[in-house]
Amino acid sequence: MRLSGLYPAVAASGFRRYATYRVATAAGVFTNTVFGFILAYTYIALWSERPHLGGYDQAEALTFVWTGQALYATVAIAGGGFQEELQERIRNGDVAVDLYRPADLQLWWLASDLGRAGFQLLGRGVVPLAVGALAFDLALPSDPLVWALFLLAVLLGLVVAFAIRYLVALAAFWLLDGTGLSMLSALIGLFFSGSLLPLTVFPGAFGDIVQWLPWSATVQVPADTLIGRHEGAAVVGVLAFQAAWAAALLLAGRSVQAAATRKVVVQGG
Amino acid sequence: MWTRSALAYRMSFALMTFGSAATAFLDFVAIMIMFTHVDALGGFSVAEVALLYGAASTSLGLADLALGTMDRLGTRIRDGTLDVLLVRPVPVFAQVAADRFALRRIGRVVQGLLVLGWAVAALDLDWTAGRVALLVTMVLSGAFLFGAVFALGGAFQFVAGDAAEVQNSFTYGGSTLLQYPPTIFAKELVRGATFVVPLAFVNWIPALRLLGRDDPLGLPGWVDFLSPVVAAAMCGLAALLWRLGLRSYRSTGS
């Protein structure tokens, strides 16, 4: 197989692999829908006390909730996907075999994770958002251009989320058992992505800082793009923000990978 | 054994215990952030919400500590390793519960108790012996109720296979639901949580009595003390269905 066709093939196999678990997907849709309802009611209570909190009206806040649930599995911000597998391969030494393969380790996992995310977006994203739109009054856009921009923001958010989790997984080279770090990373990701509460609602200077952190690119930016909070040139700005974090974190992943590879050789003796 | 193996990686164990407490803590931070914008949510003050939160979180933490590994059952059924447990002279239920027992989950219990303690101190309640007894019964019955849900989730996996996430929506999702006052949810949702999956008995119903509030469904007053009865009934049902599930188990392969 030519190398240029390799990564699309890896992505396709990532897609198919997750498509196999139909019951697990249905269970996931159920979970995201349940959480969507719980969060939606708490947001209604909050926004009826304080209309326009964080710059959203109630319909926009509810759209934020359901977009967040639709993206929950897709960006895999709370773990899942390739991370555990790569950590296990690092722990038991199989990663040495991977490094001999004529494919780039980071690109390989990125391709497989994008394939997984593509399935999750269709399998676990569409239904919760549709249920939310039926049960509540949402502010979904009618302009196809906004939807296209949203999908672009989701794609960039996926790369950022991947790059963060890749760095966490590589830490297993030094920690051996990376489960603890994965858990911490999941909790930080959940909190700072805007999945629990929109980042614009966070108070004061803390609220300003959290919007500049990379996690903001994973849920907050795509959701805001769908709601139409960024208009005109501002859209280019937030997409550039995502792309910059994606590039920086992927490069960081490369240099950590290079350092880790040297370490593998030493261990192999 | 699993405790010893977890302690082998000290750094990771410390991170995980801290992580498990902190994971639970950050959703409380999210509630606190909500209260920087409002004085009351659904008519409940921050201390009252903290009481609901602390009680639900402690109960879930205790159940999770004992039975949280029930979600691995689906994996064991799929790859056939459940058969190993069947030939050992120990009840399968005890083995599944002890499988990868994770001491780090104690983190959530500690966090729940801290929030509960803060709520008890911040609330201006007259702590009579009866109130204290109701509080303790509430947390313990809640733990058994969540435990029954974990076991029911395990039994369900004999039928559905890889559906551990359904169980999560009732345990972790249920606890998220119970962290907020019942007044903010639609009546049908509260009814469902009372009569269908009786999670309201974990904290809502007894806590409303503690706080001296009427429950939104207008149930008779004696219902407030039913938590242990409901918990016992749920545990009985879980035991029954677990046995049915185990009996129906056919191993993978030929």
Side-chain angles (χ1 to χ4, degrees), chain A residues 66-77 121 125 150 154 218-219 222-223:
Chain A
W66 289 101
T67 313
Q69 287 305 313
L71 291 180
Y72 185 84
T74 311
V75 301
I77 203 66
L121 187 64
F150 165 68
V154 170
T218 60
V219 174

Side-chain angles (χ1 to χ4, degrees), chain A residues 21 23-24 27 30-31 35 38 41-42 45-46 49-50 53 91 124 175 177 179-180 183-184 187 191 197 201-203, chain B residues 9 12 15-16 19-20 22 26 29-30 33-34 37-38 40-41 160 162-163 165-166 169 173 176-177 180 184-186:
Chain A
Y21 299 110
V23 182
F30 183 74
T31 307
F35 270 94
I38 297 171
Y41 282 114
T42 61
L46 197 58
E49 291 269 323
R50 284 286 307 270
L53 178 62
R91 205 180 62 78
R124 285 184 63 170
L175 288 175
D177 179 23
T179 336
M183 230 169 108
L184 268 184
L187 102 97
F191 189 70
L197 204 60
V201 174
F202 285 34
Chain B
Y9 297 110
S12 194
L15 274 175
M16 281 204 278
S20 137
L26 276 192
V29 173
I33 291 177
M34 289 183 182
H37 298 284
V38 294
L41 205 59
D162 210 5
E165 279 225 47
V166 171
S169 48
T176 308
L177 177 78
Y180 295 97
I184 69 172
F185 297 105

Side-chain angles (χ1 to χ4, degrees), chain A residues 73-124:
Chain A
T74 311
V75 301
I77 203 66
F82 78 98
Q83 194 177 328
E84 290 80 9
E85 206 180 329
L86 177 55
Q87 275 172 346
E88 184 56 27
R89 291 186 79 80
I90 292 172
R91 205 180 62 78
N92 65 24
D94 283 348
V95 73
V97 181
D98 298 344
L99 287 167
Y100 270 115
R101 293 200 173 119
D104 183 80
L105 194 66
Q106 194 186 31
L107 278 178
W108 170 283
W109 288 106
L110 176 61
S112 101
D113 198 51
L114 287 179
R116 176 202 60 79
F119 173 74
Q120 304 279 39
L121 187 64
L122 293 173
R124 285 184 63 170

Side-chain angles (χ1 to χ4, degrees), chain B residues 7 24 40 58-59 71 76 93 103 110 130 136 139 160 186-187 200 206 241 248:
Chain B
L7 290 172
T58 310
S59 295
D71 56 5
R76 277 191 171 276
F93 187 75
L103 191 65
V110 173
V136 175
V139 172
K187 276 269 166 58
L241 290 180
S248 74

Side-chain angles (χ1 to χ4, degrees), chain A residues 47 50-58 60-61 198 200-201 224 227 229, chain B residues 37:
Chain A
W47 261 266
R50 284 286 307 270
H52 301 292
L53 178 62
Y56 304 102
D57 62 28
Q58 187 170 301
E60 286 170 341
T200 49
V201 174
D224 275 349
I227 293 167
R229 208 181 149 94
Chain B
H37 298 284

Side-chain angles (χ1 to χ4, degrees), chain B residues 149-163:
Chain B
V149 177
F150 273 114
L152 282 170
F156 180 61
Q157 289 182 53
F158 283 113
V159 188
D162 210 5

